């Protein structure tokens, strides 16, 4: 079956530091890949997505590239802010009924 | 504004009682989903529905039931058979399943606590 593996958190960074959150996946076929963000007490919001190999998704300074050869979709940001503190979920969507499979989430804490 | 609405935001239930969580969307999406979120375990799929009057079990359906009588509504009932119901419940919707790149839109969640 499909699965998503994310690096365990929490990740604590100083403001303006470089962020990488690793994500690898196992899936049949050619899945679409997503990063979602969840702020405390809220639902998930789509951060970015990529639908085919070598696509780069980007939004709000975050980027992730769909790497089929390494089955990875790592999230990066060049300079994090305190407002980026949240839980980040990597996810994929494939299969006949298009179920979305989520990773366990990585909590990011950015300190001033 | 289009969106997906869950209510209530907080819900308390006594052991042995059934409780129903509401989920309404005005995005005209065909597919709707219910997830459960526990600390350190990510999101687990409870039930999903691709079309009105049809739904399928997800990975952890035991102790839960759903209905899909209208396109915009997908209520979840947590029954007394659910052994550990305290959790954060998230409802989501998306366009028809054939769109692989289509993202899911989430509600704000309902935090259920059994007392």
């Amino acid at each position: 079956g499909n699965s998503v593996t994310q690096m365990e958190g929490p990740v604590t960074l100083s403001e303006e530091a470089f962020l990488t959150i690793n994500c690898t996946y196992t899936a049949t076929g050619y899945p679409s890949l997503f990063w979602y963000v969840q702020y405390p007490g809220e639902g998930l919001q789509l951060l970015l997505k990529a639908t085919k190999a070598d696509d780069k998704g980007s939004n709000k300074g975050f980027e992730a590239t769909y790497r089929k050869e390494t089955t990875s979709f790592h999230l990066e940001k060049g300079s994090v802010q305190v407002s980026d503190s949240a839980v980040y979920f990597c996810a994929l969507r494939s299969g006949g009924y298009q179920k979305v499979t989520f990773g366990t989430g990585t909590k990011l804490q950015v300190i001033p | 504004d289009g969106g997906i609405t869950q209510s209530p935001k907080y819900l308390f239930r006594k052991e042995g009682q059934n409780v129903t969580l509401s989920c309404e969307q005005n995005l005209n999406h065909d597919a709707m989903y219910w997830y459960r979120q526990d600390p350190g375990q990510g999101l687990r799929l409870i039930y999903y529905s691709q079309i009105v009057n049809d739904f399928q079990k997800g990975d952890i359906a035991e102790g839960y039931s759903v209905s899909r009588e209208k396109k915009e509504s997908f209520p979840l009932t947590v029954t007394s058979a659910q052994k550990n119901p305290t959790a954060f419940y998230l409802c989501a919707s998306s366009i028809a399943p054939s769109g692989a790149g289509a993202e899911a839109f989430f509600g704000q969640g309902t935090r259920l606590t059994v007392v």
Side-chain angles (χ1 to χ4, degrees):
Chain A
N2 296 341
S3 67
V4 176
T5 302
Q6 290 182 236
M7 62 187 289
E8 287 194 20
V11 173
T12 302
L13 295 173
S14 297
E15 206 165 20
E16 299 183 2
F18 184 86
L19 168 70
T20 299
I21 299 179
N22 290 337
C23 171
T24 56
Y25 67 89
T26 302
T28 55
Y30 301 94
S32 295
L33 302 174
F34 306 88
W35 276 102
Y36 284 86
V37 59
Q38 184 181 34
Y39 298 101
E42 297 186 7
L44 276 67
Q45 304 172 26
L46 179 70
L47 182 59
L48 52 85
K49 69 179 183 181
T51 58
K52 60 183 187 296
D54 300 325
D55 267 2
K56 177 186 283 188
S58 62
N59 185 27
K60 299 180 181 178
F62 291 89
E63 293 183 341
T65 301
Y66 190 142
R67 301 286 188 199
K68 187 167 171 56
E69 64 276 13
T70 55
T71 61
S72 64
F73 193 53
H74 304 321
L75 182 69
E76 297 181 335
K77 187 175 185 183
S79 176
V80 294
Q81 305 300 312
V82 172
S83 58
D84 294 326
S85 298
V87 180
Y88 292 82
F89 290 91
C90 186
L92 68 83
R93 192 176 194 196
S94 72
Y97 51 82
Q98 303 295 324
K99 186 179 80 168
V100 180
T101 300
F102 288 87
T104 55
T106 302
K107 184 175 182 178
L108 170 66
Q109 182 177 6
V110 180
I111 54 177
Chain B
D1 286 340
I4 181 164
T5 302
Q6 290 185 243
S7 61
K9 191 170 176 64
Y10 299 96
L11 189 57
F12 295 88
R13 189 196 88 175
K14 291 184 179 180
E15 276 194 48
Q17 289 182 337
N18 293 353
V19 64
T20 298
L21 282 60
S22 170
C23 178
E24 303 277 334
Q25 55 98 359
N26 60 4
L27 300 167
N28 201 32
H29 286 168
D30 289 302
M32 296 187 74
Y33 313 84
W34 274 104
Y35 291 90
R36 170 180 172 141
Q37 186 177 22
D38 295 284
Q41 295 194 42
L43 277 70
R44 293 182 289 170
L45 183 65
I46 304 172
Y47 268 97
Y48 64 99
S49 168
Q50 299 180 52
I51 197 168
V52 174
N53 292 323
D54 185 55
F55 49 83
Q56 287 81 40
K57 293 181 179 179
D59 302 317
I60 56 164
E62 185 175 352
Y64 299 97
S65 66
V66 294
S67 63
R68 189 82 188 279
E69 297 177 0
K70 298 185 296 182
K71 186 176 185 178
E72 59 270 23
S73 179
F74 192 42
L76 173 74
T77 297
V78 184
T79 75
S80 56
Q82 169 49 235
K83 292 180 171 48
N84 186 22
T86 295
F88 190 51
Y89 291 88
L90 287 161
C91 181
S93 69
S94 67
I95 64 172
S98 60
E103 68 266 28
F105 290 78
F106 283 83
Q108 293 298 294
T110 293
R111 185 165 298 281
L112 173 64
T113 302
V114 174
V115 297

